[in-house]
Amino acid sequence: MQYRTIGQQTVSAIGLGGMPMSIEDRPDRARSVAAIHASLDAGVTLIDTADAYALGASDVGHGEALLARALRSYGGDVSEVVVATKGGHTREPDGAWTLDGRPEHLREAARASLRRLGTDAIGLYQFHRPDPDVPIEESVGALRELLDDGIIRMAGVSNFDADQIRATVEIVGDGFVSVQNEFSPRFRSSEGELELCGELGLAFLPWSPLGGISSAGELGDRHGAFAEIAADHGASPQQVCLAWMLAKGPHVLPIPGSSRPETIRASAAAAELELSDEELARLDAPTAG
């Protein structure tokens, strides 16, 4: 496993995205706990979840409670694990996803997340998605308050554009350490934000990093380069995808979602895969993704 930094904290270069363990079609708890334990065994020390990773309003916090249970039951040392969670998305009783970026909601949600996680402070707390009804300045101002109150150790944002990222730097200051945006072979429009994060010294956490590459390894014509290069390395297209992302800069830490021990082990192993400059150029080409 490679290791990189978020703020001043060293974490694994590849994290674990916990969303599949808590939303629709989620597996039973035993398999999810086994997947989390397998990630820890593989050297993963960054695990991402959210209070909205649940089936609906009555289930809010499922992902956080599940992760807390898995960490407590793990037989090894978890003191270096950074738990990243998010607030600002909400779930309706029927399961619909809604937004609430009000500062008072974020302050309350963060404290509820802290109780579910059962720690002294949340390692990384991220504003999940901008709320068009609330000025960004008000929402991220709540992150600054949570830092000052010691509820969270580091602050991040998710699904932000470049202007919103710059505004957050001005408001939150040094406590602002990361941006989590969608980025994958299928979705590359956030590459500008990825590059901006490198310039500003922020970690960039691609969510849904394997988009465009199915779990079965099936690729369309536009993704053929990932399969071809994978065959040359005796690896999977998914592993090549993660290695390609890691090569984009030392500030990039993909968080592939998983609910199976075998898939997170395979993802973690991608940190060992080195791609040549020629291979990276092929994968960067628009026709590759």
Side-chain angles (χ1 to χ4, degrees):
M1 177 60 70
Q2 297 180 28
Y3 290 88
R4 297 186 170 186
T5 58
I6 297 179
Q8 300 300 314
Q9 179 71 45
T10 298
V11 296
S12 55
I14 293 175
L16 169 63
M19 187 175 182
M21 303 180 196
S22 294
I23 61 169
E24 292 73 15
D25 299 320
R26 67 193 187 194
D28 60 53
R29 187 172 63 191
R31 195 182 87 185
S32 292
V33 169
I36 294 169
H37 288 178
S39 74
L40 298 170
D41 289 341
V44 171
T45 59
L46 172 64
I47 305 179
D48 180 80
T49 186
D51 60 0
Y53 291 170
L55 298 179
S58 63
D59 193 43
V60 163
H62 176 276
E64 294 168 333
L66 172 69
L67 179 53
R69 179 186 294 268
L71 292 175
R72 286 195 302 268
S73 63
Y74 184 64
D77 181 15
V78 296
S79 61
E80 298 301 314
V81 174
V82 172
V83 173
T85 191
K86 299 182 284 293
H89 248 315
T90 52
R91 303 299 298 273
E92 296 297 310
D94 64 356
W97 293 77
T98 51
L99 297 171
D100 191 342
R102 294 174 301 130
E104 55 267 34
H105 169 76
L106 292 173
R107 289 191 293 265
E108 180 180 346
R111 285 171 168 81
S113 293
L114 179 60
R115 288 193 294 272
R116 285 187 288 265
L117 292 171
T119 56
D120 294 336
I122 297 172
L124 172 61
Y125 192 71
Q126 304 154 101
F127 178 36
H128 205 151
R129 186 180 293 273
D131 181 346
D133 294 329
V134 181
I136 285 292
E137 293 78 8
E138 294 184 14
S139 297
V140 300
L143 298 180
R144 182 67 259 173
E145 292 179 27
L146 290 166
L147 285 163
D148 292 341
D149 291 344
I151 303 300
I152 67 176
R153 294 193 176 95
M154 298 183 288
V157 297
S158 184
N159 303 300
F160 268 40
D161 64 26
D163 288 341
Q164 293 166 335
I165 292 169
R166 292 189 181 95
T168 304
V169 171
E170 293 298 319
I171 295 165
V172 181
D174 291 344
F176 174 38
V177 299
S178 66
V179 175
Q180 183 179 148
N181 279 10
E182 183 177 8
F183 182 73
S184 69
R186 178 180 60 203
F187 187 91
R188 302 193 184 193
S189 61
S190 61
E191 190 144 19
E193 286 77 20
L194 183 156
E195 294 172 355
L196 176 63
C197 285
E199 296 169 11
L200 296 176
L202 301 171
F204 184 85
L205 282 57
W207 64 262
S208 194
L210 302 178
I213 302 178
S214 78
S215 59
E218 299 165 355
L219 297 93
D221 292 340
R222 296 181 65 218
H223 303 95
F226 288 89
E228 293 163 5
I229 292 171
D232 292 340
H233 285 270
S236 70
Q238 291 84 1
Q239 290 172 321
V240 169
C241 176
L242 295 173
W244 165 68
M245 288 188 179
L246 292 175
K248 287 191 170 293
H251 66 295
V252 179
L253 300 88
I255 47 172
S258 177
S259 65
R260 296 178 181 276
E262 58 269 26
T263 55
I264 187 55
R265 290 191 195 103
S267 291
E272 303 173 6
L273 180 60
E274 294 187 12
L275 302 176
S276 69
D277 290 343
E278 180 183 359
E279 290 170 329
L280 292 170
R282 287 175 61 193
L283 297 174
D284 279 333
T287 54

